[in-house]
Amino acid sequence: MTFYSPWRHLPSIFRKGRPIQLTFFVTRDCNAKCPWCFYLRSADGMDAGGVELSLDEIRKISRSLGRLLWVAFSGGEVFLRDDLVEISGAFHDQNRPSVLLFPTNGLLPERVHDQTEEILKRCPNSVIVVKVSIDGVGASHDVLRGSPGGFEKAMETHRLLGELAGDYVNLELGINTVFCSDNQDRMAEIIDFVGGLETAGTHTISAVRGNLIEQRYKNIDIEKYRHAADRLETNLRSGATGVHRFTGSRLKAAQDILQRRLIHRTLSEDRRLVPCYSGRLSLVLSESGEVYPCEILKSSFGNLRDFGHDMRKLLRSERARAAIRPITEGACHCTHECNFINNILFNPRLYPALIKEWFKLNGLRPAPQAPPPSPETASCRPSTRANSAGP
Ligand code: SF4
């Protein structure tokens, strides 16, 4: 099987002229009630109304996007969208992404299993990453997410997906944990539990974000975040949790390690440490066609329905150009992991640090070299404001 190569996007290291990553909120429907949801429980949620884009509209939008490195679906619960397989197929055929990412709360094991299998068959040249959310072990997960029986269902989903992983080489299984005030004291337990699973796949943590209605979930202890990051790194090095299956997987694992360190420093120093390529390399699309530079900022570039579903036309508009300007000038900062991925992988000034981690993961020692620049010195333009322009 031939996968779409990620290396086709190397020119974006030097020229940030077109998007290579899309986050697409396919639906606002959800069968969970997570109190820290930055999308459905945000005090200033993006695009709270509007009819969902139809499959035909999505096909047109996808056609206007060109080649993409990865597409992250989001919501809501993405597997509640009935035409998810067709949507995935449109992006697979027209944008040739190396990775299609599907997060799920895992509350519908059979549905997630069946749709994933269809997607695996329909999109053979992309790596299909499915991440099940686990925010606690047992009842603590259910309490946190307001979903009685949710942990058992999520584990059943994970088990069923694990069976598929044996049959499809393009499936990559993962678990994601939201790091928030209410589970930060149980992170060691969660990380070790996931590390002990037979088919754990990768394990990532996401620091709670957004302008939540219940802000208290954001009262996180930075040192507890660092302990969790260290524990994940230890499990990764010991092989308890896996690395990705796709081309460049160890590079991605090295990036994960560097990313968590940068996020810890961003939280500690409350400022941006590296340039952000949101709006240039990555875009966010809502279920009703609004386009944003990222999930945090609420200044929309416009709605694709007003631009004939043509992303290129929308990005050429004065409104879109004006919205990107403050981002390139460093006016905001955040800890959103998806953006850190692009901001690390496409920033050559971080490569010495990245290569050092890559060598360590391969059990090799890098040749003696000058110390890599700290992320701080790698920043082209330090933030001009203490607080994020986002929520
Ligand atoms: S809030 Fe600013 S730093 Fe964070 S992803 Fe958006 S543009 Fe980038």
Side-chain angles (χ1 to χ4, degrees):
M1 188 177 298
T2 311
F3 291 116
Y4 297 137
S5 169
W7 306 117
R8 295 165 302 158
H9 296 281
L10 285 178
S12 295
I13 294 170
F14 309 104
R15 200 169 170 277
K16 302 337 192 229
R18 54 170 293 272
I20 57 166
Q21 191 261 325
L22 178 74
T23 298
F24 179 17
F25 287 77
V26 288
T27 184
R28 295 183 80 84
D29 287 347
C30 197
N31 48 351
K33 301 185 192 76
C34 310
W36 57 79
C37 177
F38 69 91
Y39 200 57
L40 302 180
R41 294 199 173 30
S42 168
D44 54 3
M46 46 166 86
D47 189 24
V51 179
E52 278 183 2
L53 293 163
S54 69
L55 182 57
D56 274 351
E57 289 181 292
I58 293 167
R59 285 198 178 111
K60 279 188 205 157
I61 292 167
S62 150
R63 248 196 313 274
S64 74
L65 272 164
R67 300 279 165 90
L68 294 173
L69 173 61
W70 58 295
V71 177
F73 294 104
S74 193
E77 167 58 32
V78 300
F79 288 96
L80 286 178
R81 180 120 187 190
D82 287 334
D83 52 2
L84 187 64
V85 178
E86 290 80 8
I87 293 171
S88 309
F91 283 102
H92 173 268
D93 296 349
Q94 298 181 149
N95 309 103
R96 303 165 77 86
S98 301
V99 173
L100 290 168
L101 170 65
F102 302 83
T104 178
N105 57 34
L107 292 179
L108 298 167
E110 298 292 338
R111 187 178 175 97
V112 174
H113 169 275
D114 294 351
Q115 286 196 11
T116 300
E117 184 157 27
E118 289 303 307
I119 291 167
L120 288 164
K121 289 179 190 161
R122 178 66 186 78
C123 306
N125 307 109
S126 298
V127 174
I128 307 302
V129 181
V130 184
K131 289 200 170 186
V132 181
S133 294
I134 299 286
D135 298 324
V137 180
S140 62
H141 172 91
D142 300 357
V143 171
L144 268 171
R145 290 198 156 236
S147 302
F151 179 77
E152 289 305 323
K153 288 177 188 156
M155 292 315 300
E156 174 63 2
T157 300
H158 187 265
R159 190 189 66 72
L160 290 173
L161 292 171
E163 287 177 6
L164 282 181
D167 297 332
Y168 295 89
V169 291
N170 59 330
L171 174 61
E172 179 175 308
L173 194 48
I175 286 179
N176 188 64
T177 300
V178 173
F179 184 101
C180 70
S181 59
D182 286 26
N183 66 0
Q184 59 187 344
D185 290 320
R186 293 195 293 271
M187 274 294 146
E189 179 194 11
I190 299 167
I191 292 169
D192 290 350
F193 170 79
V194 174
L197 293 172
E198 209 169 303
T199 53
T202 56
H203 187 198
T204 47
I205 54 173
S206 304
V208 65
R209 64 178 181 274
N211 190 12
L212 306 181
I213 292 171
E214 289 188 66
Q215 286 285 322
R216 71 171 187 84
Y217 287 100
K218 291 171 73 179
N219 293 334
I220 59 176
D221 183 322
I222 296 167
E223 281 315 292
K224 287 176 183 167
Y225 179 88
R226 188 175 65 77
H227 285 308
D230 287 349
R231 209 166 186 108
L232 280 174
E233 189 175 329
T234 303
N235 280 2
L236 189 66
R237 292 191 194 288
S238 71
T241 49
V243 294
H244 302 274
R245 285 176 157 193
F246 48 76
T247 313
S249 59
R250 286 193 182 267
L251 189 64
K252 178 69 182 67
Q255 174 262 306
D256 282 343
I257 291 171
L258 190 57
Q259 170 184 305
R260 287 191 285 265
R261 289 195 195 136
L262 279 172
I263 288 175
H264 175 252
R265 281 196 57 202
T266 303
L267 285 167
S268 306
E269 299 178 28
D270 196 21
R271 67 189 182 94
R272 192 198 289 181
L273 299 167
V274 293
C276 180
Y277 305 134
S278 294
R280 289 182 290 160
L281 286 187
S282 58
L283 295 171
V284 171
L285 172 63
S286 82
E287 68 285 345
S288 61
E290 289 291 325
V291 178
Y292 300 85
C294 68
E295 293 177 9
I296 310 290
L297 300 181
K298 297 298 183 277
S299 47
S300 159
F301 285 174
N303 192 299
L304 279 163
R305 284 175 167 147
D306 300 327
F307 291 84
H309 303 91
D310 186 334
M311 188 68 87
R312 282 164 304 197
K313 263 193 204 164
L314 180 144
L315 291 177
R316 282 198 296 267
S317 71
E318 186 45 45
R319 183 171 162 187
R321 288 167 195 257
I324 289 175
R325 229 165 279 137
I327 300 172
T328 53
E329 288 168 359
C332 51
H333 69 281
C334 71
T335 60
H336 186 198
E337 292 78 7
C338 288
N339 293 93
F340 266 92
I341 294 173
N342 300 323
N343 295 345
I344 291 171
L345 292 180
F346 291 91
N347 182 346
R349 302 187 74 173
L350 290 174
Y351 288 177
L354 191 61
I355 290 167
K356 189 176 163 198
E357 291 306 327
W358 182 84
F359 269 108
K360 281 203 253 170
L361 279 172
N362 281 284
L364 301 170
R365 290 174 65 80
Q369 58 177 347
S374 71
E376 184 177 355
T377 55
S379 173
C380 299
R381 289 179 172 159
S383 174
T384 52
R385 294 206 307 228
N387 293 317
S388 167

